[in-house]
Amino acid sequence: MSKNLLLSLVLIIITSSILSCGKSKTDPIEIEEKNPYNCISGRIKSGSSLYQALRENGIADSDAYQITHSLNVIYDLRKVHPNDSFLLQIDTLQQVQIVEFFPDNINHYIVQRDTTNQFISKNNQKKLTKETKTFSTSIESSLYNSFVEQGIDPKIVMDYTDIFQWDLDFFIDPRKGDSCKIIYEVFTNNGEILKNGKILSASYLGKNFDMTAYYFTNGAKFDGYYDSKGKSFQKAFLKSPLNYSYISSYYGMRVHPITKRYWLHNGVDYAAKRGTPVQASADGVIIHQGWKGGHPTPRGNTGGYGKTIMIRHPNGHKTLYGHLSAYAKGTYVGKRVKQQDIIGFVGSTGWSTGPHLHYTIYYHNKAINPLRLKNVSGPPIPKKLMLQFNTIVNCINDELVNNYSK
């Protein structure tokens, strides 16, 4: 073997040895840490509880009690919903060491056993950043579809319709081409929207409507939506007490479909599916709950309206809700109800040819046409708060111009 070849082989061996030794000294070997616990994941079943879920997964009764008792201090377990998820970490002695509970995509509750065999709870809540977003759409098929098809959370749609529910009947008033705009809050974490906040401004523009609402609160009496002059959008009575398909019978003289008698129909009939929730159209007190007459019925029949609720309201008004299939749980004569409280469900009891709600408004015991009611707005923003309110209105208007003027 030549000297040059031998020298080259020696250099290669020496270099390899140096590199090998250098790597063992400077580059630590990465060892993946294994979770020492056996992990069991699950979800809360309908009609169940976290305590029951723990017991069903083999957690001792005493541990399940301590875990839920500790967690309940920082999270009201009465708010647990079906499908809420959890993760159990169990040691080799089959003792649970850690319970993780995820009621939503923001909160992450951890219940951990300490050295004294007690369970300590904490919440690793994600940090949220509040931002504002704008959205605009034109109605094509329905308002709901126009929002949701562009990625808007259905809850935002419901909040939007709640703002204008005293002025707009979203089942019959919207027209193709009407436009809607909103400015609303979102809460994000690392750019991901985890929660929606308040609608700060909402507008509805159509052939028959031109309305813009601004959210205002002073943390006390005033908390709601107002027009640019400070007038409240909330009214004494809802535009309608339920979501319905169409008006099947208007206020006025007509022939009754069963008795064939010509008479005054002293209310409005809203055709809707059986079981559709019926809301109290205004604050008041229930003064009647039971079968009630009123329609022209054969002599001796006193239950023409079927299952009925009547509510007395301030300033001489009463409302009647007839042909109900059932009353809402907890309703009774003398109960005080708030506007939008569910009081019953659409049916066809009494003298009725199909599921619908008969709705009458009385003023000093005289029936009036609900569709022509001169509705009264809630308290306006007082003069002493108008400067603060106008500042909000101007800021929102500037944002509307900047985002929708293109």
Side-chain angles (χ1 to χ4, degrees):
M1 182 180 293
S2 68
K3 290 183 178 180
N4 290 338
L5 180 58
L6 181 61
L7 181 61
S8 297
L9 289 171
V10 171
L11 288 172
I12 290 171
I13 293 170
I14 294 172
T15 302
S16 300
S17 299
I18 292 172
L19 290 173
S20 176
C21 293
K23 184 173 183 180
S24 63
K25 290 179 180 179
T26 60
D27 296 337
I29 299 174
E30 294 184 5
I31 300 175
E32 183 180 352
E33 291 187 14
K34 292 185 177 180
N35 189 339
Y37 302 128
N38 177 34
C39 295
I40 301 174
S41 61
R43 294 184 179 275
I44 306 296
K45 299 175 183 177
S46 179
S48 186
S49 66
L50 180 60
Y51 175 84
Q52 290 173 302
L54 295 174
R55 294 292 291 123
E56 289 170 0
N57 281 278
I59 305 304
D61 184 72
S62 58
D63 284 348
Y65 172 79
Q66 286 191 55
I67 289 166
T68 52
H69 181 74
S70 174
L71 180 56
N72 199 52
V73 173
I74 61 173
Y75 177 78
D76 187 352
L77 289 176
R78 291 175 299 180
K79 296 179 180 179
V80 169
H81 292 94
N83 222 34
D84 286 351
S85 61
F86 59 86
L87 178 70
L88 311 180
Q89 298 190 41
I90 301 173
D91 63 19
T92 55
L93 298 177
Q94 300 304 306
Q95 279 195 320
V96 62
Q97 294 294 328
I98 300 172
V99 175
E100 298 179 64
F101 179 61
F102 310 89
D104 51 50
N105 58 358
I106 297 173
N107 294 288
H108 173 201
Y109 292 94
I110 299 175
V111 188
Q112 188 165 10
R113 189 191 296 269
D114 65 13
T115 56
T116 65
N117 264 343
Q118 300 299 308
F119 286 95
I120 307 299
S121 297
K122 64 178 180 179
N123 183 9
N124 283 352
Q125 186 181 47
K126 293 180 181 179
K127 293 182 179 179
L128 301 179
T129 301
K130 185 166 70 173
E131 303 175 16
T132 59
K133 287 191 171 293
T134 57
F135 172 77
S136 175
T137 188
S138 293
I139 296 176
E140 292 299 324
S141 57
S142 72
L143 181 137
Y144 182 86
N145 290 339
S146 298
F147 275 71
V148 174
E149 287 173 359
Q150 296 190 48
I152 297 297
D153 189 321
K155 185 180 183 305
I156 292 290
V157 187
M158 297 300 103
D159 291 344
Y160 177 87
T161 57
D162 283 349
I163 294 170
F164 297 117
Q165 64 184 309
W166 293 275
D167 300 283
L168 265 168
D169 190 324
F170 284 98
F171 274 78
I172 60 174
D173 288 336
R175 296 289 184 270
K176 184 176 181 179
D178 290 358
S179 63
C180 311
K181 299 176 183 178
I182 56 172
I183 298 176
Y184 63 105
E185 297 172 332
V186 295
F187 295 88
T188 65
N189 177 267
N190 293 326
E192 180 187 4
I193 297 176
L194 298 181
K195 179 182 176 182
N196 292 308
K198 282 278 187 183
I199 292 179
L200 302 178
S201 176
S203 66
Y204 187 96
L205 178 63
K207 182 179 180 180
N208 301 316
F209 302 95
D210 185 357
M211 301 179 292
T212 299
Y214 305 87
Y215 176 69
F216 175 79
T217 180
N218 67 343
K221 181 178 179 180
F222 295 91
D223 188 326
Y225 293 90
Y226 303 83
D227 67 14
S228 60
K229 304 296 183 183
K231 182 180 177 182
S232 176
F233 270 87
Q234 183 171 351
K235 306 294 193 299
F237 288 85
L238 297 176
K239 188 76 178 287
S240 65
L242 78 166
N243 295 329
Y244 61 95
S245 300
Y246 59 93
I247 295 177
S248 57
S249 184
Y250 289 85
Y251 183 98
M253 300 300 295
R254 69 162 190 168
V255 176
H256 192 278
I258 295 178
T259 65
K260 308 303 180 184
R261 290 171 56 185
Y262 194 66
W263 71 300
L264 173 65
H265 185 241
N266 65 356
V268 175
D269 288 350
Y270 295 102
K273 292 182 179 179
R274 178 184 172 85
T276 300
V278 176
Q279 301 174 321
S281 58
D283 294 356
V285 177
I286 296 176
I287 58 173
H288 175 88
Q289 179 172 312
W291 281 68
K292 186 174 179 62
H295 281 312
T297 57
R299 184 176 299 175
N301 189 317
T302 59
Y305 284 133
K307 290 184 177 180
T308 302
I309 280 184
M310 288 189 70
I311 300 175
R312 182 178 64 244
H313 309 282
N315 304 317
H317 288 92
K318 296 177 185 176
T319 50
L320 180 147
Y321 312 80
H323 304 305
L324 302 174
S325 61
Y327 308 113
K329 185 177 180 180
T331 59
Y332 55 86
V333 172
K335 181 177 181 180
R336 197 168 286 277
V337 294
K338 301 291 290 184
Q339 189 177 64
Q340 295 182 293
D341 282 353
I342 303 300
I343 57 172
F345 304 91
V346 168
S348 189
T349 55
W351 283 69
S352 167
T353 57
H356 72 281
L357 174 74
H358 175 88
Y359 176 60
T360 299
I361 296 180
Y362 299 92
Y363 182 61
H364 293 305
N365 296 319
K366 181 180 179 180
I368 61 176
N369 188 346
L371 301 180
R372 294 184 179 179
L373 174 70
K374 292 182 179 179
N375 223 340
V376 180
S377 296
I381 293 176
K383 291 182 179 179
K384 64 181 180 180
L385 295 177
M386 281 303 293
L387 181 61
Q388 181 182 351
F389 175 70
N390 286 332
T391 301
I392 293 173
V393 169
N394 291 334
C395 289
I396 289 175
N397 286 343
D398 288 342
E399 191 159 352
L400 286 170
V401 170
N402 292 335
N403 283 282
Y404 301 123
S405 60
K406 297 178 181 180

